[in-house]
Amino acid sequence: MLTNGGPLHDELEEALSRHLGIPTAMLFNNGTIALMTALRMFDLPSGGEVITTPLTFAATAHAISWNGLAPVFADVSPDDLTLDPASVEAAITPKTSAILAVHVYGTVCDLDALQDIATRHGLPLIYDAAHAFGTTVSGRPIGTFGDASVFSFHATKLFHTFEGGLLATNREEDRQTIYYLRNFGIKNEEEVVGIGINGKMNELQAMIGLLNLPQVEDERQTRAKLRQNYKSFLSDLPGIRLQPDQPGVSNSEQYFALQIDPEKFGRTRDDVYEALKSMDIFARKYFHPICTDFEPYRGYPIHSVWPQPAVDLVKTRVLCLPFHGGVEEQDIAQIRAVFLS
Ligand SMILES: *Cc1c(COP(=O)(O)O)cnc(C)c1O
């Protein structure tokens, strides 16, 4: 019971299903295993290509590779940094088996364009929603788009269970399949019906989740104020570009990402990063280096509809500022001084 569908586990699973507005929402021990399981659900052919973004955490690409599938990187949209639909289209081959898009920084992907491509080519569309906990689009929960969505409850995420994850899908009929995949393929004491993995969340993780969940909305509101605060001095600064406001989208408030154009701003992203660091303020260059800079994916092309992939420039410019309820007025003043100096 401590590790296998105990009472706290079931309570949290139900609570999250309600909170996120997703009927089929199943807990996992971390987001990476949930991503691996999401891909596994579709029985994709060995060596099949899965189109994804290079501007993400390594786990997105690794989940593809661990399934014996081949990650294929398509460019990001220069406007909002999510997977660019035109570049996805340009990356499609007869071996393409699925699309794995990321709501990076909580910015929602071009849902309609990606769904249109997926439908036309008969491809499952999976979302890595690790940055989009609680996001809604015109009131519709983010986890109900595409064929499956995966959330991470790692300690760095808005809502966390120390480590944890969740696989969400509209495909109620797949609940049993996911259940087996999550628990070694065990059907009963004497039958193993599939090649499952150990993806189960334990009672300690679930307990942390049950304690954290009631605090999420307050934390989100505190961060929403922090966002306004940052925006008040960054919005009009030459050479600073913020992630776009998306009409109808309620932001998860997980990240505050911006881009620094060194010509127009007068300093590089790295200059600003170092200046902050010298004051013990730790910004992050998410996601630099990008996946194709990492050893296992080095030399993988980035399929793009532009002469030069947009992500190559973006990765030198992007910076995520400290973004949590513990950032205080004096911290903001220091950060402001670094940008305005
Ligand atoms: C955090 C994260 C994950 C999964 O991380 P886990 O630590 O395994 O829960 C996957 N994708 C992205 C984009 C993430 O930020």
Side-chain angles (χ1 to χ4, degrees):
M1 231 189 262
L2 272 175
T3 64
N4 203 341
L8 298 176
H9 171 280
D10 289 356
E11 190 182 334
L12 181 63
E13 204 167 67
E14 262 183 59
L16 285 170
S17 172
R18 249 180 289 121
H19 186 94
L20 297 173
I22 311 156
T24 305
M26 301 184 66
L27 286 171
F28 276 78
N29 48 6
N30 62 59
T32 305
I33 300 277
L35 269 176
M36 286 166 57
T37 305
L39 285 158
R40 192 85 187 186
M41 274 167 64
F42 298 98
D43 261 331
L44 305 176
S46 168
E49 297 172 353
V50 179
I51 300 174
T52 193
T53 169
L55 188 72
T56 183
F57 183 53
T60 315
H62 289 349
I64 298 170
S65 301
W66 272 76
N67 270 297
L69 301 162
V72 168
F73 298 99
D75 205 1
V76 301
S77 149
D79 299 326
D80 67 12
L81 309 188
T82 64
L83 187 59
D84 174 49
S87 298
V88 169
E89 194 101 53
I92 288 179
T93 74
K95 287 174 90 176
T96 303
S97 309
I99 299 169
L100 176 51
V102 181
H103 303 301
V104 70
Y105 315 120
T107 304
V108 174
C109 293
D110 190 337
L111 301 162
D112 292 340
L114 290 175
Q115 187 60 63
D116 177 59
I117 296 170
T119 306
R120 273 190 287 112
H121 294 273
L123 304 168
L125 174 58
I126 302 163
Y127 286 109
D128 180 336
H131 302 175
F133 184 88
T135 294
T136 57
V137 182
S138 302
R140 180 171 162 191
I142 195 71
T144 63
F145 292 91
D147 294 292
S149 292
V150 170
F151 297 86
S152 163
F153 303 152
H154 184 258
T156 56
K157 309 301 202 258
L158 174 70
F159 166 77
H160 77 88
T161 57
F162 284 2
E163 295 239 38
L166 185 112
L167 200 173
T169 178
N170 290 334
R171 298 155 57 105
E172 299 260 14
E173 68 276 16
D174 285 340
R175 178 180 279 274
Q176 195 62 50
T177 307
I178 301 167
Y179 184 87
Y180 291 147
L181 284 172
R182 185 172 69 174
N183 188 30
F184 313 100
I186 292 174
K187 185 172 182 187
N188 57 43
E189 264 177 286
E190 303 202 345
E191 279 179 282
V192 171
V193 295
I195 305 173
I197 198 161
N198 182 357
K200 304 185 305 312
M201 175 178 279
N202 67 49
E203 289 293 89
L204 276 173
Q205 292 172 289
M207 181 182 73
I208 297 299
L210 287 167
L211 292 170
N212 273 336
L213 191 56
Q215 305 190 47
V216 167
E217 198 41 44
D218 273 357
E219 174 66 17
R220 236 168 64 92
Q221 281 175 21
T222 308
R223 293 183 190 194
K225 283 193 202 112
L226 179 56
R227 180 180 299 278
Q228 288 316 321
N229 219 325
Y230 279 149
K231 273 180 154 179
S232 70
F233 61 88
L234 291 170
S235 289
D236 299 326
L237 221 50
I240 299 293
R241 178 169 179 160
L242 307 181
Q243 282 296 89
D245 283 323
Q246 298 183 297
V249 172
S250 78
N251 197 299
S252 66
E253 303 297 356
Q254 188 162 302
Y255 292 107
F256 187 90
L258 53 80
Q259 292 182 70
I260 299 174
D261 176 339
E263 266 92 65
K264 292 192 193 135
F265 186 65
R267 283 171 287 162
T268 65
R269 182 270 313 272
D270 289 355
D271 292 339
V272 174
Y273 170 86
E274 292 298 338
L276 290 168
K277 198 169 168 184
S278 72
M279 303 166 86
D280 275 346
I281 297 169
F282 298 97
R284 299 299 297 261
K285 303 178 193 177
Y286 289 146
F287 285 93
H288 173 267
I290 57 174
C291 289
T292 46
D293 293 328
F294 294 136
E295 170 93 38
Y297 308 114
R298 203 167 288 155
Y300 279 51
I302 296 165
H303 298 265
S304 180
V305 291
W306 294 282
Q308 177 74 15
V311 71
D312 283 343
L313 196 59
V314 167
K315 73 179 182 186
T316 67
R317 295 183 168 189
V318 75
L319 193 67
C320 288
L321 296 185
F323 199 57
H324 55 84
V327 178
E328 297 184 2
E329 286 295 335
Q330 74 224 43
D331 305 319
I332 301 169
Q334 280 189 307
I335 293 168
R336 185 172 183 276
V338 166
F339 276 91
L340 298 187
S341 66

